[in-house]
Amino acid sequence: MTAAALVAGCSGGLPRDDGREEPRTPAPSQDAAGGSVLAVKIDNAPAARPHTGLDSADVVYAEQVEGGLSRLMAVYASRLPKVVGPVRSARESDLELLGQFDDPLLAFSGAQHKLLPLIDKAPLTPKTPDEAPNAYFRGTGRAAPHNLYLRPGRLLSAAPGPGALTTGFRYGAAPEGGRPESSWTVRFPAARFTFTWSASRHRWLVSMDGTPAVTTAGERVAPATVVVQYVKVRPSAFRDFLGNNTPYTETVGSGKARVLRDGRVYDVDWTRGRAGDGTRFTAADGSRVSFARGQVWVVFAKGS
């Protein structure tokens, strides 16, 4: 599927995802340019690839979902692509993760009915096809539910700018130490991510489930920094329609992480005191660890 085909998609006939029942009252129109980031839940099943607009994100989070599969959350602040997707449903742990931002817009296809009250109470602005029908369309060439796409420009008049990225990340010169690394793989029960260093591009080339990750425009997905953050992944109170438990990824707390940048890997510690805080990454001596400028991927791996 080409990007042009996606843009040509129509906006009608958007079935609700994940068994969502009656639509909520649409939120008032909000122009969040100048302050709020846009976070988009992105389908990462094999049938959903290649993705659209993923290369424009400032930060991409990868988390485990039901059945050991993976899903992505792309956060946009510096620039907005014309189209992003495919868009899928939200999870409970997304609310904790997004607490670090000031009233973020969360674009998602829907959620379990029992999760909707928690989303309503969270400090974010939900933007589903019910709240913003003109911002979504079904693309051609893929079967539902892997064909729902978002036009970010219909939610935000302009990107808020990198100042809205209150993640706690630092950017700058590489820390001392580390060790050379050409490739790193993170495995979920039913998914895996491999990051291969490209010296010519000075980026980490992403592969998913053994296949190179590219966008619908044919561009290789290639972040400047990859963070493998070891966290607690526990069962939540929610299940999917097949009865599989939804994992809850705890992003508040502390633990170990590995930072991949400039062809090297660094063993670091991470801390996040509360949901409203960003995450602090530090070396063994307590100094802050800086990331390379460019896109950052954060993969939440189950800690020991």
Side-chain angles (χ1 to χ4, degrees), residues 17-18 41 71 87-91 94 108-112:
D17 195 12
D18 289 339
K41 286 307 299 286
R71 190 156 293 179
V87 180
R88 286 299 297 273
S89 55
R91 295 294 184 273
D94 298 334
F108 60 108
S109 62
Q112 295 184 32

Side-chain angles (χ1 to χ4, degrees), residues 87-238:
V87 180
R88 286 299 297 273
S89 55
R91 295 294 184 273
E92 183 186 8
S93 51
D94 298 334
L95 309 182
E96 179 177 282
L97 178 61
L98 288 172
Q100 65 193 298
F101 301 110
D102 181 17
D103 191 23
L105 272 69
L106 174 60
F108 60 108
S109 62
Q112 295 184 32
H113 188 65
K114 293 188 296 183
L115 181 57
L116 295 179
L118 298 182
I119 295 175
D120 287 334
K121 294 176 182 178
L124 56 82
T125 301
K127 292 293 183 179
T128 66
D130 289 327
E131 278 87 16
N134 292 334
Y136 291 88
F137 67 91
R138 291 283 177 187
T140 59
R142 290 181 185 172
H146 310 296
N147 64 350
L148 179 65
Y149 292 87
L150 171 72
R151 295 184 177 95
R154 297 191 178 183
L155 297 183
L156 295 170
S157 61
L165 291 169
T166 51
T167 56
F169 299 169
R170 292 283 186 91
Y171 299 86
E176 295 182 0
R179 57 189 182 274
E181 188 62 63
S182 60
S183 182
W184 196 274
T185 297
V186 182
R187 289 179 172 84
F188 292 176
R192 73 182 189 273
F193 297 87
T194 298
F195 303 94
T196 303
W197 177 247
S198 169
S200 62
R201 295 191 58 182
H202 213 71
R203 292 290 186 271
W204 295 93
L205 306 181
V206 181
S207 295
M208 302 184 200
D209 304 325
T211 301
V214 297
T215 67
T216 48
E219 297 295 328
R220 189 73 187 269
V221 179
T225 304
V226 177
V227 179
V228 182
Q229 187 174 340
Y230 296 98
V231 299
K232 183 177 181 179
V233 180
R234 58 170 173 81
S236 74
F238 299 92

Side-chain angles (χ1 to χ4, degrees), residues 229-253:
Q229 187 174 340
Y230 296 98
V231 299
K232 183 177 181 179
V233 180
R234 58 170 173 81
S236 74
F238 299 92
R239 294 182 179 273
D240 67 10
F241 69 98
L242 294 175
N244 297 311
N245 187 266
T246 302
Y248 188 101
T249 299
E250 295 188 3
T251 56
V252 171

